Amino acid sequence: MIPGGGQPNMQQLLQQAQKMQQDLAAAQEALAAAEVEGQSGGGLVKATVTGSGELRALVIDPKAVDPEDTETLADLVVAAVQAANENAQQLQQQKLGPLAQGLGGGSGIPGLPF
């Protein structure tokens, strides 16, 4: 409801929606450019992903490489990538959360992970 019972100013609402759309696009661009890291095995394996979750780099310490035990190395890689993706999701919440709240809570908005 509008205080005083008046009609909402449609031009003003449209301008607010356009600004929110621009802010959301800028935040998504920033996420795509941002990089976060996850690690496992006490830093033996490090994964770097963008804020949008794209794997950019994987660093494996030679101490983690045992030709007789590739399963452990695979587990360390998976854990490092998962940790990096969790960090990317936290970054998404920080960058997009306030914008999604302004768009009605974020639920049901295509393309948003929350």
Side-chain angles (χ1 to χ4, degrees):
M1 266 306 185
I2 304 298
Q7 292 295 322
N9 180 333
M10 295 307 281
Q11 183 66 27
Q12 186 178 18
L13 288 175
L14 181 58
Q15 288 174 346
Q16 287 175 343
Q18 287 174 335
K19 177 159 180 9
M20 290 174 71
Q21 188 176 25
Q22 290 169 348
D23 290 348
L24 181 59
Q28 288 173 326
E29 281 183 38
L31 279 173
E35 292 187 347
V36 293
E37 186 178 278
Q39 57 179 306
S40 64
L44 290 176
V45 176
K46 297 177 184 176
T48 303
V49 299
T50 64
S52 57
E54 179 185 342
L55 182 62
R56 285 286 173 93
L58 185 63
V59 177
I60 301 172
D61 187 305
K63 291 181 242 173
V65 180
D66 178 356
E68 301 297 318
D69 184 15
T70 57
E71 287 179 21
T72 297
L73 178 57
D75 289 344
L76 290 172
V77 169
V78 169
V81 172
Q82 286 176 336
N85 278 322
E86 287 172 11
N87 291 337
Q89 288 177 353
Q90 289 175 358
L91 183 61
Q92 289 173 0
Q93 287 285 351
Q94 291 170 1
K95 297 277 187 191
L96 299 179
L99 293 172
Q101 289 171 359
L103 293 170
S107 60
I109 298 175
L112 293 183
F114 43 90

